[in-house]
């Protein structure tokens, strides 16, 4: 019997972070790893816990009422979704004010007309 020749590469596949392979020595980074790396270590830990519930959060956000609730009162959204968040994140989310963060600043056109932009936030699943 003749030996069958296959065209297989010996180069390991690249992971999400661009490193070769997915072994213990080369962990694959999550899509949000770059964002987390910019945070302070104590906040990073709490955000990682929150990201572990990403699938459940996205499922809840399919409902437009839940999406509006997240933007207006994040603490209540996570409470209704039965997702535990740390006291640190709860405090920061309670301080969040939608109108203050996304205040539409009007501007005056040369003819004197005042334009006020409308801001619409849409959260979509990839």
């Amino acid at each position: 019997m003749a030996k069958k020749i296959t065209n297989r590469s010996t180069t390991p596949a690249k992971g999400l972070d661009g490193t070769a392979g997915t072994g213990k020595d080369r962990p694959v980074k999550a899509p949000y790893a770059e964002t987390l790396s910019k945070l302070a270590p104590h906040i990073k830990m709490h955000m990682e816990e929150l990201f572990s519930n990403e699938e459940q959060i996205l499922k809840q956000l399919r409902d437009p009422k839940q999406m509006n609730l997240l933007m207006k009162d994040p603490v209540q959204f996570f409470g209704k979704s039965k997702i535990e968040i740390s006291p640190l994140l709860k405090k920061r989310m309670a301080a969040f004010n939608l109108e203050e963060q996304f205040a539409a600043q009007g501007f005056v056109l040369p003819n004197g007309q005042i334009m006020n932009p409308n801001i619409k936030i849409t959260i979509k699943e990839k």
Side-chain angles (χ1 to χ4, degrees):
M1 233 180 179
K3 185 176 179 183
K4 185 176 180 181
I5 299 174
T6 58
N7 189 9
R8 292 187 183 174
S9 173
T10 57
T11 307
K14 287 192 175 189
L16 294 175
D17 63 349
T19 60
T22 58
K24 291 179 183 174
D25 58 331
R26 295 184 195 117
V28 176
K29 291 183 181 178
Y32 44 81
E34 185 179 333
T35 304
L36 288 175
S37 68
K38 296 175 184 176
L39 299 174
H42 65 286
I43 296 175
K44 180 180 175 180
M45 180 182 68
H46 298 296
M47 290 301 293
E48 285 173 343
E49 289 176 21
L50 187 60
F51 279 129
S52 67
N53 297 309
E54 181 179 19
E55 195 172 302
Q56 184 181 357
I57 294 168
L58 290 174
K59 185 178 176 183
Q60 291 289 325
L61 290 176
R62 289 185 187 129
D63 179 14
K65 290 179 184 176
Q66 291 294 324
M67 192 183 310
N68 287 334
L69 181 61
L70 175 65
M71 294 308 298
K72 291 181 180 173
D73 189 359
V75 176
Q76 187 179 2
F77 168 80
F78 288 109
K80 282 187 174 183
S81 301
K82 297 180 179 140
I83 297 172
E84 291 292 322
I85 56 175
S86 69
L88 174 74
L89 289 180
K90 201 176 279 190
K91 182 180 176 184
R92 288 183 179 223
M93 287 180 187
F96 175 78
N97 183 344
L98 179 67
E99 286 78 25
E100 187 179 291
Q101 295 294 322
F102 297 105
Q105 295 182 356
F107 55 94
V108 181
L109 296 176
N111 65 1
Q113 184 180 2
I114 298 174
M115 299 290 293
N116 290 315
N118 290 328
I119 299 173
K120 181 179 179 183
I121 299 170
T122 306
I123 301 171
K124 293 185 177 183
E125 189 175 355
K126 289 184 181 181

